[in-house]
Amino acid sequence: MLYKSFVKPTSRNDCLTKALFCLCAVCNEHSPRLHVCMFCVFFGCYDTGHIQDHAKNERHLLALDVNHGRLFCFECNDYVYWYSTMQAIEPLNQAWRNNLKMNHLLTPWAPEQSDMEVFSSCVKKLKYEASSWIGLRGLYNLGNTCFMNCIIQTLMHTPLLRNYFFSDPHECYIGDNCLVCEISELFKKFFCGEKTPINLCKILHIIWNQARHLAG
Protein backbone atom coordinates (compact mmCIF):
# COMPACT_ATOMS: atom_id res chain seq x y z
CA MET A 1 0.00 0.00 0.00
CA LEU A 2 2.81 2.42 0.89
CA TYR A 3 4.70 1.63 -2.29
CA LYS A 4 1.62 2.05 -4.48
CA SER A 5 0.49 5.27 -2.81
CA PHE A 6 3.74 7.11 -2.23
CA VAL A 7 6.48 5.64 -4.45
CA LYS A 8 4.87 4.65 -7.75
CA PRO A 9 1.34 6.15 -7.81
CA THR A 10 -0.65 4.91 -10.81
CA SER A 11 -3.72 7.14 -10.65
CA ARG A 12 -4.46 10.84 -10.40
CA ASN A 13 -5.83 10.46 -6.89
CA ASP A 14 -2.68 8.60 -5.78
CA CYS A 15 -0.51 11.36 -7.28
CA LEU A 16 -2.51 14.00 -5.43
CA THR A 17 -2.23 12.01 -2.20
CA LYS A 18 1.54 11.82 -2.57
CA ALA A 19 1.80 15.55 -3.33
CA LEU A 20 -0.34 16.52 -0.33
CA PHE A 21 0.82 14.10 2.35
CA CYS A 22 4.47 13.37 1.54
CA LEU A 23 5.72 15.94 4.08
CA CYS A 24 8.09 15.50 6.97
CA ALA A 25 6.06 15.24 10.18
CA VAL A 26 8.70 17.30 12.02
CA CYS A 27 9.61 20.16 9.68
CA ASN A 28 6.63 19.90 7.28
CA GLU A 29 8.95 20.03 4.25
CA HIS A 30 9.12 18.13 0.94
CA SER A 31 12.52 16.60 1.61
CA PRO A 32 14.46 15.12 -1.34
CA ARG A 33 15.25 12.09 0.86
CA LEU A 34 11.92 11.62 2.59
CA HIS A 35 11.33 8.22 4.21
CA VAL A 36 8.11 6.72 5.53
CA CYS A 37 8.08 4.38 8.53
CA MET A 38 6.88 0.90 7.65
CA PHE A 39 5.21 0.49 11.05
CA CYS A 40 3.23 3.67 11.68
CA VAL A 41 3.38 5.66 8.39
CA PHE A 42 5.48 8.42 9.97
CA PHE A 43 7.16 10.65 7.36
CA GLY A 44 10.60 11.97 8.20
CA CYS A 45 13.59 13.58 6.49
CA TYR A 46 16.71 11.46 6.25
CA ASP A 47 19.22 14.29 5.75
CA THR A 48 18.09 16.15 8.88
CA GLY A 49 17.84 12.96 10.97
CA HIS A 50 14.11 13.14 11.66
CA ILE A 51 13.39 9.61 10.45
CA GLN A 52 16.44 8.34 12.35
CA ASP A 53 15.19 9.93 15.58
CA HIS A 54 11.78 8.33 15.06
CA ALA A 55 13.33 4.90 14.50
CA LYS A 56 15.49 5.24 17.62
CA ASN A 57 12.68 6.47 19.88
CA GLU A 58 9.98 4.09 18.66
CA ARG A 59 12.19 1.13 17.69
CA HIS A 60 10.54 1.11 14.25
CA LEU A 61 13.55 -0.11 12.30
CA LEU A 62 12.28 -0.21 8.71
CA ALA A 63 11.52 2.78 6.49
CA LEU A 64 10.75 3.21 2.80
CA ASP A 65 12.42 5.85 0.63
CA VAL A 66 9.43 7.48 -1.10
CA ASN A 67 11.52 8.74 -4.03
CA HIS A 68 13.08 5.45 -5.14
CA GLY A 69 11.27 2.74 -3.20
CA ARG A 70 14.37 1.50 -1.39
CA LEU A 71 13.96 -0.15 1.99
CA PHE A 72 16.18 1.15 4.80
CA CYS A 73 17.01 -0.93 7.86
CA PHE A 74 18.10 1.14 10.87
CA GLU A 75 19.46 -1.97 12.58
CA CYS A 76 21.83 -2.52 9.64
CA ASN A 77 22.17 1.23 9.01
CA ASP A 78 21.92 0.56 5.29
CA TYR A 79 19.49 -0.06 2.46
CA VAL A 80 18.49 -3.71 2.16
CA TYR A 81 17.35 -5.69 -0.87
CA TRP A 82 15.15 -8.74 -0.37
CA TYR A 83 14.32 -10.85 -3.38
CA SER A 84 10.82 -11.63 -2.11
CA THR A 85 10.13 -7.91 -1.66
CA MET A 86 11.32 -7.11 -5.17
CA GLN A 87 9.03 -9.81 -6.54
CA ALA A 88 6.07 -8.43 -4.60
CA ILE A 89 6.44 -4.87 -5.91
CA GLU A 90 7.17 -5.80 -9.54
CA PRO A 91 3.44 -5.81 -10.52
CA LEU A 92 3.18 -2.29 -9.05
CA ASN A 93 6.20 -1.17 -11.08
CA GLN A 94 4.68 -2.67 -14.22
CA ALA A 95 1.37 -0.88 -13.61
CA TRP A 96 3.25 2.38 -13.06
CA ARG A 97 5.20 1.93 -16.32
CA ASN A 98 2.01 1.13 -18.22
CA ASN A 99 0.34 4.22 -16.79
CA LEU A 100 3.24 6.37 -18.07
CA LYS A 101 3.35 4.44 -21.38
CA MET A 102 6.93 3.35 -20.68
CA ASN A 103 7.10 0.36 -22.99
CA HIS A 104 10.88 0.01 -22.94
CA LEU A 105 12.17 -1.83 -19.90
CA LEU A 106 15.86 -2.33 -19.27
CA THR A 107 16.74 -5.97 -18.85
CA PRO A 108 20.21 -7.48 -18.38
CA TRP A 109 21.81 -8.46 -21.67
CA ALA A 110 21.82 -12.17 -22.47
CA PRO A 111 23.33 -13.70 -25.63
CA GLU A 112 21.01 -15.09 -28.27
CA GLN A 113 21.71 -18.25 -30.26
CA SER A 114 23.41 -16.28 -33.04
CA ASP A 115 25.64 -14.60 -30.45
CA MET A 116 26.58 -17.96 -28.96
CA GLU A 117 27.60 -19.24 -32.38
CA VAL A 118 29.87 -16.24 -32.90
CA PHE A 119 31.40 -16.69 -29.45
CA SER A 120 32.05 -20.39 -29.99
CA SER A 121 33.71 -19.75 -33.36
CA CYS A 122 36.01 -17.05 -31.98
CA VAL A 123 39.52 -18.32 -31.43
CA LYS A 124 40.47 -15.72 -28.85
CA LYS A 125 37.47 -15.95 -26.55
CA LEU A 126 37.22 -13.85 -23.41
CA LYS A 127 36.52 -15.95 -20.35
CA TYR A 128 35.56 -14.85 -16.85
CA GLU A 129 37.32 -16.86 -14.18
CA ALA A 130 38.23 -16.36 -10.56
CA SER A 131 41.58 -14.88 -11.61
CA SER A 132 40.21 -13.04 -14.67
CA TRP A 133 41.67 -9.63 -15.48
CA ILE A 134 38.84 -8.67 -17.89
CA GLY A 135 37.41 -5.33 -16.85
CA LEU A 136 40.52 -4.46 -14.85
CA ARG A 137 42.31 -1.59 -16.56
CA GLY A 138 44.37 1.25 -15.22
CA LEU A 139 43.73 4.93 -15.87
CA TYR A 140 46.33 7.57 -16.63
CA ASN A 141 46.48 10.37 -14.08
CA LEU A 142 46.10 13.60 -16.05
CA GLY A 143 47.46 16.00 -13.47
CA ASN A 144 45.16 16.32 -10.46
CA THR A 145 42.54 13.91 -11.76
CA CYS A 146 43.06 11.03 -9.34
CA PHE A 147 39.65 11.81 -7.79
CA MET A 148 38.01 11.39 -11.21
CA ASN A 149 39.86 8.11 -11.79
CA CYS A 150 38.48 6.74 -8.51
CA ILE A 151 34.94 7.68 -9.51
CA ILE A 152 35.34 6.17 -12.99
CA GLN A 153 36.67 2.90 -11.57
CA THR A 154 33.67 2.74 -9.22
CA LEU A 155 31.21 3.36 -12.07
CA MET A 156 32.87 0.75 -14.29
CA HIS A 157 32.41 -1.93 -11.65
CA THR A 158 28.79 -1.17 -10.74
CA PRO A 159 26.78 -4.13 -12.15
CA LEU A 160 23.57 -2.12 -12.70
CA LEU A 161 25.40 0.49 -14.79
CA ARG A 162 27.34 -2.16 -16.68
CA ASN A 163 24.13 -3.97 -17.63
CA TYR A 164 22.53 -0.68 -18.65
CA PHE A 165 25.27 0.31 -21.07
CA PHE A 166 25.78 -3.21 -22.43
CA SER A 167 22.05 -3.31 -23.24
CA ASP A 168 22.50 -0.19 -25.46
CA PRO A 169 19.36 1.69 -24.34
CA HIS A 170 20.97 5.14 -24.59
CA GLU A 171 19.77 7.28 -27.50
CA CYS A 172 21.95 10.34 -27.98
CA TYR A 173 20.41 13.69 -28.94
CA ILE A 174 23.45 15.85 -28.16
CA GLY A 175 26.31 14.77 -30.43
CA ASP A 176 30.04 14.93 -29.83
CA ASN A 177 29.88 16.37 -26.31
CA CYS A 178 27.53 13.76 -24.86
CA LEU A 179 28.91 12.58 -21.52
CA VAL A 180 26.68 9.47 -21.48
CA CYS A 181 27.99 8.40 -24.91
CA GLU A 182 31.55 8.70 -23.65
CA ILE A 183 30.73 6.65 -20.55
CA SER A 184 29.26 3.99 -22.86
CA GLU A 185 32.47 3.94 -24.90
CA LEU A 186 34.45 3.68 -21.70
CA PHE A 187 32.57 0.54 -20.68
CA LYS A 188 33.46 -1.03 -24.04
CA LYS A 189 37.12 -0.15 -23.55
CA PHE A 190 37.17 -1.57 -20.02
CA PHE A 191 35.71 -4.93 -21.02
CA CYS A 192 37.29 -5.39 -24.45
CA GLY A 193 40.00 -7.70 -23.12
CA GLU A 194 42.97 -5.33 -23.32
CA LYS A 195 45.28 -4.64 -20.40
CA THR A 196 46.83 -1.28 -21.32
CA PRO A 197 45.84 1.84 -19.31
CA ILE A 198 43.10 4.12 -20.64
CA ASN A 199 43.48 7.84 -21.36
CA LEU A 200 40.52 9.92 -20.14
CA CYS A 201 41.31 13.09 -22.09
CA LYS A 202 37.98 13.17 -23.92
CA ILE A 203 35.77 12.60 -20.92
CA LEU A 204 37.75 15.21 -18.98
CA HIS A 205 37.27 17.69 -21.83
CA ILE A 206 33.51 17.04 -21.89
CA ILE A 207 33.25 17.53 -18.12
CA TRP A 208 35.15 20.81 -18.34
CA ASN A 209 32.85 22.03 -21.14
CA GLN A 210 29.71 21.18 -19.17
CA ALA A 211 30.99 22.24 -15.73
CA ARG A 212 33.47 25.05 -16.29
CA HIS A 213 34.03 25.56 -12.55
CA LEU A 214 35.83 22.18 -12.57
CA ALA A 215 38.22 23.15 -15.38
CA GLY A 216 41.83 23.64 -14.48
Side-chain angles (χ1 to χ4, degrees), residues 20-206:
L20 292 173
F21 296 103
C22 273
L23 297 169
C24 177
V26 179
C27 61
N28 202 38
E29 295 289 338
H30 287 282
S31 168
R33 293 193 67 188
L34 193 67
H35 287 60
V36 55
C37 175
M38 297 287 287
F39 294 85
C40 63
V41 200
F42 172 93
F43 288 92
C45 305
Y46 185 91
D47 291 337
T48 56
H50 295 154
I51 191 67
Q52 292 93 322
D53 292 340
H54 172 79
K56 181 179 179 180
N57 295 333
E58 303 294 334
R59 293 300 296 170
H60 293 173
L61 300 180
L62 289 176
L64 188 68
D65 177 358
V66 299
N67 290 320
H68 305 287
R70 297 173 299 180
L71 196 62
F72 192 90
C73 174
F74 291 97
E75 186 74 22
C76 307
N77 196 30
D78 199 358
Y79 290 99
V80 292
Y81 299 89
W82 292 329
Y83 181 72
S84 57
T85 305
M86 302 302 292
Q87 280 187 315
I89 64 176
E90 181 52 34
L92 300 177
N93 285 328
Q94 185 60 50
W96 178 77
R97 288 190 293 266
N98 293 339
N99 185 57
L100 296 178
K101 296 181 172 57
M102 297 173 59
N103 297 322
H104 177 73
L105 176 64
L106 173 66
T107 54
W109 177 83
E112 298 178 355
Q113 182 60 35
S114 58
D115 298 321
M116 294 300 297
E117 292 174 359
V118 173
F119 293 154
S120 61
S121 63
C122 181
V123 178
K124 297 181 179 180
K125 295 188 290 292
L126 301 180
K127 186 177 181 181
Y128 285 93
E129 298 174 341
S131 59
S132 174
W133 46 262
I134 298 172
L136 304 179
R137 297 189 68 176
L139 299 173
Y140 286 112
N141 189 4
L142 307 174
N144 296 323
T145 60
C146 50
F147 67 94
M148 182 181 70
N149 291 358
C150 293
I151 295 172
I152 292 296
Q153 288 284 6
T154 302
L155 294 177
M156 292 298 108
H157 295 91
T158 301
L160 185 61
L161 283 176
R162 181 194 61 205
N163 291 344
Y164 174 86
F165 283 104
F166 283 175
S167 299
D168 293 328
H170 172 60
E171 297 181 7
C172 180
Y173 300 99
I174 298 177
D176 294 336
N177 289 322
C178 179
L179 183 59
V180 182
C181 286
E182 187 58 28
I183 293 292
S184 179
E185 288 298 318
L186 205 54
F187 269 96
K188 296 176 183 177
K189 293 177 182 178
F190 254 84
F191 291 91
C192 70
E194 296 184 8
K195 298 181 181 180
T196 55
I198 300 175
N199 192 317
L200 297 179
C201 284
K202 185 172 182 180
I203 193 171
L204 185 62
H205 179 70
I206 294 174

